Amino acid sequence: MIHAIGHALALAGSMTWEILWALILGFFLSAVVQAVVRKSTIVGLMGDDRPRTLAVAALLGAASSSCSYAAVALARSLIRKGANFTAAMAFEIGSTNLVVELGVILALLMGWQFTAAEFVGGPIMIIVLAVLFRLFVRSRTIEAARKQAERGIAGSMEGHAAMDMSVPGDGSFWRRLASRQGFTSVSHVFVMEWAAILRDLVLGLLIAGAIAAWVPDSFWQNFFLSDHPTLSALWGPIVGPIVAIVSFVCSIGNVPLAAVLWNGGISFGGVIAFIYADLLILPILNIYRKYYGVKMMLVLLATFYVSMVCAGYAVELLFGATGLIPSERNAMVMKAGISWNYTTWLNIAFLILAAVLMVRFVRTGGSPMLRMMGGSPDTGHDHHDHAAGS
């Protein structure tokens, strides 16, 4: 038993070491974008469910927090401020599935094809969701959800969702970013994003390590029907989100588990659908119930699930037709050990960058923000005062 646990921890640790520099890079790039995008300007661009508005909402989501809990909380906040419900859901999808850090980790662990599929399938998922809302979700159901949202019942990461850590004032992107306030804003967003996803990331790595060590490939091969390519392609997108729902892992944390499932035999479209389903894990479904009521929670479960399945089928067909589905299942999860190579040098370099940002975070009064991450959804948090004085 001790040996088995040690083997699982070794695999989890090795995977962590392999992706560490990419995680830091991804969150740094995300922090740079978030530092120049004011949350106060977002709601005015999300007043309807026209295609252009949904596209803008998805892009704004991609420029915000990648923490699933924070994305869900921010979407509810936008709805309370008058944003269209469908546009808020598009924002939520963009925030969790179209962010740069997710693309970086997918490329490193699984291959660039998975990053491309993620960014191709995300818009497809939003289109399907918008069509389903138009066809099946009645206006009175949405109005009832709005009334429930106005009650302001707390979910998770409310304080983090309410914080606006962007650079104040006018000026070009580079001028604002290169200022002292820009440095402070980037450090604040960087550290807060890490704090928001750390629990799910650690949980995902531990689960991935345990499954890789303890569950034989033959189990997954039978479960995903990998000996029957056509059936596997049909079955994967259906079962992928269900596995995600019961895994309790969201945000970036589900990528290591996705790598294990890919090595185990899940189809290409199935693993993409699995990654999308971080918005349907059981704790988030409970938050939907609190935010919008039981009926809307069931509506979101059904429409999101169908959208994920359709997006999974779409990328399976598109990438299969163009010959872009990898022929080998060699996602980076199976080496239990650390060697002195380019990964080590990259980790050292990016750990130094992370340390610089953390020092800046602490010196500019960022520490109290960590205690406010789970604050009330009705409490506004604006940290421009920290940036202005730095």
Side-chain angles (χ1 to χ4, degrees), residues 23-376:
L23 278 172
I24 296 172
L25 173 61
F27 280 105
F28 173 71
L29 294 175
S30 175
V32 168
V33 174
Q34 292 186 58
V36 293
V37 177
R38 294 287 315 260
K39 288 182 179 178
S40 58
T41 66
I42 292 176
V43 68
L45 302 173
M46 296 171 53
D48 54 60
D49 61 353
R50 293 179 301 170
R52 182 179 183 277
T53 303
L54 297 181
V56 170
L59 289 173
L60 290 170
S64 66
S65 173
S66 63
C67 171
S68 300
Y69 293 103
V72 170
L74 183 52
R76 194 269 296 266
S77 175
L78 294 172
I79 290 170
R80 296 179 70 192
K81 294 176 181 178
N84 177 271
F85 197 95
T86 307
M89 295 303 103
F91 175 92
E92 192 174 295
I93 293 170
S95 183
T96 55
N97 293 300
L98 299 177
V99 289
V100 63
E101 54 267 42
L102 176 61
V104 171
I105 296 305
L106 278 172
L108 181 63
L109 273 186
M110 303 179 70
W112 66 267
Q113 298 94 329
F114 294 88
T115 299
E118 186 76 10
F119 287 103
V120 169
I124 294 173
M125 180 180 168
I126 292 172
I127 291 170
V128 174
L129 182 72
V131 171
L132 291 175
F133 264 71
R134 282 282 186 96
L135 294 177
F136 300 110
V137 183
R138 298 180 179 179
S139 57
R140 66 170 178 264
T141 301
I142 293 177
E143 287 306 312
R146 283 188 177 277
K147 290 180 180 179
Q148 176 69 13
E150 288 297 332
R151 296 177 62 189
I153 298 175
S156 181
M157 292 294 172
E158 301 284 355
H160 180 49
M163 292 178 186
D164 190 344
M165 295 170 278
S166 59
V167 184
D170 299 321
S172 67
F173 175 93
W174 294 111
R175 183 174 180 180
R176 294 167 65 198
L177 190 62
S179 66
R180 293 171 61 88
Q181 294 93 335
F183 183 24
T184 299
S185 291
V186 169
S187 71
H188 285 195
V189 176
F190 178 83
V191 175
M192 294 300 291
E193 284 294 288
W194 269 101
I197 63 93
L198 189 59
R199 177 188 62 185
D200 285 292
L201 179 61
V202 172
L203 182 61
L205 287 164
L206 290 175
I207 291 175
I211 290 176
W214 302 340
V215 180
D217 286 344
S218 58
F219 170 83
W220 294 118
Q221 289 164 1
N222 291 329
F223 183 73
F224 293 127
L225 309 176
S226 59
D227 290 335
H228 307 278
T230 301
L231 290 178
S232 177
L234 293 172
W235 176 240
I238 294 174
V239 74
I242 297 174
V243 175
I245 289 171
V246 300
S247 72
F248 285 81
V249 182
C250 64
S251 305
I252 305 297
N254 66 359
V255 177
L257 183 54
V260 173
L261 297 181
W262 171 249
N263 283 352
I266 192 172
S267 68
F268 186 76
V271 78
I272 297 300
F274 168 85
I275 294 170
Y276 289 149
D278 63 339
L279 289 172
L280 291 182
I281 63 171
L282 294 176
I284 285 183
L285 288 176
N286 187 48
I287 291 173
Y288 290 148
R289 179 188 62 82
K290 293 179 181 179
Y291 282 0
Y292 309 121
V294 174
K295 186 174 183 179
M296 182 53 79
M297 181 269 286
L298 294 174
V299 167
L300 291 176
L301 172 60
T303 54
F304 272 50
Y305 175 76
V306 172
S307 301
M308 293 163 186
V309 172
C310 290
Y313 284 141
V315 297
E316 183 79 35
L317 290 171
L318 289 172
F319 282 68
T322 54
L324 293 178
I325 296 178
S327 58
E328 300 292 331
R329 295 179 178 270
N330 53 1
M332 191 184 299
V333 295
M334 301 308 292
K335 295 180 180 179
I338 295 173
S339 58
W340 190 268
N341 53 21
Y342 78 95
T343 299
T344 301
W345 288 110
L346 286 170
N347 282 340
I348 292 172
F350 280 95
L351 282 170
I352 292 172
L353 172 63
V356 170
L357 293 171
M358 290 181 67
V359 170
R360 181 70 173 183
F361 175 81
V362 173
R363 288 185 174 178
T364 53
S367 298
M369 295 163 60
L370 295 171
R371 296 190 291 272
M372 299 164 62
M373 290 184 69
S376 167

Side-chain angles (χ1 to χ4, degrees), residues 4-16:
I5 294 175
H7 184 46
L9 291 175
L11 288 174
S14 176
M15 199 183 313
T16 302

